[in-house]
Amino acid sequence: MESSNLLQDTLGRKHDYLRISITEHCNLRCTYCMPEEGISLTPKPHLMTADEIIVIAQTFVNLGVTKIRLTGGEPLVRKDAAAIMLRLGKLGVNLSITTNGILVSNFIQTFKEAGIKTVNISIDSLIKDKFNAITRRDYFDVVQKNIDLLLQEKFKVKLNVVLIKSFNDNEILDFISLTKNKNIQVRFIEFMPFNGNQWDKSKLVSYAEIMEIVQSKYKMSEIERLQDAPNDTAKNFKINTYPGSFAIISSVTNPFCSTCNRIRLTADGKLKNCLFSNSEIPLLETLRSGDSILPLIHQNLITKKAVRAGLDDDLKFQNPELFSQNRSMITIGG
Ligand code: SAM
Ligand code: SF4
């Protein structure tokens, strides 16, 4: 097989976007991401070293990956995070990061040197007590300050907001108001089921419900539907007089699998061909033995299912026996 076709699955989807989780550790404990009792951390020898991350990333770039996103856990808590970013920045890809924002002020220069232009920050409430309740920590002011710092430093900032019914759905309009004075993108994410995150459908705020709330304040003529980027998981909008924009990521009620171009690499060196897949292909042992990882990459791609790892209808997707076989989000990275 031509190496240029290795990242194509049986449905012809080309995978040019690699998401790398560089750590399972985090300085927050978001309730929707992490089980209350915590997770059992992988022993360090079984985690990818910086060198291994670069070798695997380079392999993917050689096969056609053009975009890499760093995630975690919280990617910025890893001690060699800066070195990893700087080395990945030399691979000639579009490099970006998803972070909870707490440590961002220490990394402004690194982001610039690594060529990171867009930073996604997760923030689920604009009210301090609520933010602290959902993250089980007290970093609201730091995150706010760091969002402003990124804007000041001319980064493109996207805010990831996981919506949970009766918790923060009453803040949808406040988040959109942020786009009135700041050129940011607010991304509303439907709450998704993972192992240990107490998901049930009644907590979901759907795409349709979000739009209904937006339309309670803004006239249809004020809500502009923007062109989505190719392979975009978000449906993009803006209020026509505001500089910023908002988007809805509806993996639950409107999956976007037919254009999926993502592959995920976990901190312990396993490939996941879908966020919802519990079948993973370990790369590290093979890499460490000196053998080629290309056959494993190919195997991972050709076993990718058409829709959400085979959880293709609501009954399967919402079945705790099925979704709890997957990892917790904290060890996948979003
Ligand atoms: N620590 C970083 C952060 O919070 O941005 C990166 C890792 S975090 C797992 C990546 C993204 O996944 C975050 O935007 C987070 O809000 C989102 N996420 C976590 N659990 C989720 C869930 N159950 N449903 C939807 N999004 C989730
Ligand atoms: Fe940590 Fe991000 Fe998960 Fe929150 S969403 S617990 S910040 S990894």
Side-chain angles (χ1 to χ4, degrees):
M1 146 136 340
E2 288 279 314
S3 68
S4 59
N5 290 334
L6 263 185
L7 296 184
Q8 189 160 315
D9 71 5
T10 54
L11 298 172
R13 291 174 293 194
K14 287 209 167 93
H15 293 74
D16 56 8
Y17 178 9
L18 177 66
R19 299 175 63 101
I20 308 178
S21 168
I22 61 171
T23 180
E24 297 174 349
H25 289 268
C26 189
N27 39 6
L28 293 182
R29 294 286 181 274
C30 303
T31 56
Y32 52 76
C33 178
M34 223 178 157
E36 188 153 21
E37 65 279 11
I39 53 158
S40 53
L41 292 164
T42 306
K44 201 166 173 203
H46 299 297
L47 295 172
M48 292 184 291
T49 62
D51 286 345
E52 287 164 343
I53 291 172
I54 305 303
V55 170
I56 296 173
Q58 179 73 69
T59 305
F60 274 97
V61 172
N62 295 346
L63 295 174
V65 159
T66 56
K67 179 171 175 184
I68 294 181
R69 175 174 298 278
L70 294 182
T71 177
E74 171 48 39
L76 299 181
V77 301
R78 183 166 164 149
K79 285 200 177 69
D80 52 3
I84 291 170
M85 284 184 261
L86 293 172
R87 291 175 72 184
L88 289 175
K90 297 202 174 101
L91 299 186
V93 289
N94 170 354
L95 183 64
S96 57
I97 187 162
T98 300
T99 165
N100 60 31
I102 294 171
L103 296 171
V104 150
S105 55
N106 303 336
F107 286 89
I108 297 291
Q109 200 48 37
T110 306
F111 290 165
K112 288 183 181 171
E113 280 173 35
I116 292 177
K117 298 197 168 55
T118 306
V119 181
N120 287 34
I121 304 266
S122 303
I123 175 167
D124 305 307
S125 177
L126 299 170
I127 300 163
K128 186 172 179 165
D129 289 348
K130 277 167 76 171
F131 176 91
N132 292 348
I134 195 131
T135 60
R136 304 185 179 115
R137 293 289 184 274
D138 183 5
Y139 284 110
F140 179 78
D141 297 327
V142 178
V143 175
Q144 290 283 326
K145 252 181 36 204
N146 283 340
I147 292 171
D148 287 338
L149 176 64
L150 285 167
L151 289 170
Q152 230 173 319
E153 297 286 342
K154 306 281 182 255
F155 288 94
K156 193 165 165 201
V157 177
K158 298 186 180 183
L159 302 184
N160 286 358
V161 183
V162 177
L163 287 176
I164 299 177
K165 186 72 68 66
S166 308
F167 175 72
N168 58 357
D169 48 342
N170 61 352
E171 292 190 60
I172 290 174
L173 293 174
D174 295 335
F175 272 106
I176 291 182
S177 292
L178 281 184
T179 69
K180 184 173 183 178
N181 300 315
K182 296 181 185 188
N183 187 7
I184 51 173
Q185 186 196 52
V186 174
R187 293 147 49 92
F188 298 115
I189 305 175
E190 286 182 347
F191 180 30
M192 297 182 277
F194 293 95
N195 187 30
N197 78 348
Q198 316 282 318
W199 186 89
D200 81 67
K201 193 161 188 208
S202 67
K203 296 181 186 163
L204 178 88
V205 186
S206 69
Y207 175 88
E209 288 168 310
I210 298 166
M211 286 312 285
E212 205 174 297
I213 292 172
V214 178
Q215 286 161 17
S216 70
K217 173 165 176 189
Y218 299 99
K219 295 194 205 88
M220 287 300 281
S221 58
E222 293 173 297
I223 306 167
E224 193 180 325
R225 178 76 169 90
L226 300 173
Q227 176 78 44
D228 305 327
N231 310 107
D232 205 341
T233 53
K235 295 188 176 59
N236 294 275
F237 300 86
K238 82 194 287 286
I239 304 302
N240 55 10
T241 52
Y242 295 179
S245 62
F246 66 95
I248 303 174
I249 302 179
S250 52
S251 323
V252 181
T253 65
N254 256 311
F256 27 75
C257 306
S258 61
T259 56
C260 182
N261 64 340
R262 288 145 190 251
I263 318 158
R264 293 174 165 83
L265 177 62
T266 60
D268 58 347
K270 300 202 168 113
L271 275 186
K272 279 177 91 73
N273 61 22
C274 173
L275 185 54
F276 300 107
S277 167
N278 61 9
S279 86
E280 301 175 347
I281 305 270
L283 296 186
L284 270 191
E285 220 172 272
T286 304
L287 185 77
R288 287 176 183 176
S289 73
D291 288 339
S292 169
I293 57 171
L294 294 184
L296 299 177
I297 294 175
H298 183 55
Q299 189 189 340
N300 187 245
L301 263 294
I302 59 168
T303 52
K304 179 160 174 151
K305 300 272 177 27
V307 175
R308 288 188 309 216
L311 305 176
D312 44 11
D313 63 38
D314 280 3
L315 268 184
K316 287 186 214 157
F317 190 66
Q318 293 165 23
N319 181 346
E321 268 175 40
L322 295 179
F323 69 68
S324 57
Q325 289 169 16
N326 193 3
R327 293 165 174 249
S328 296
M329 182 61 125
I330 183 140
T331 64
I332 306 175

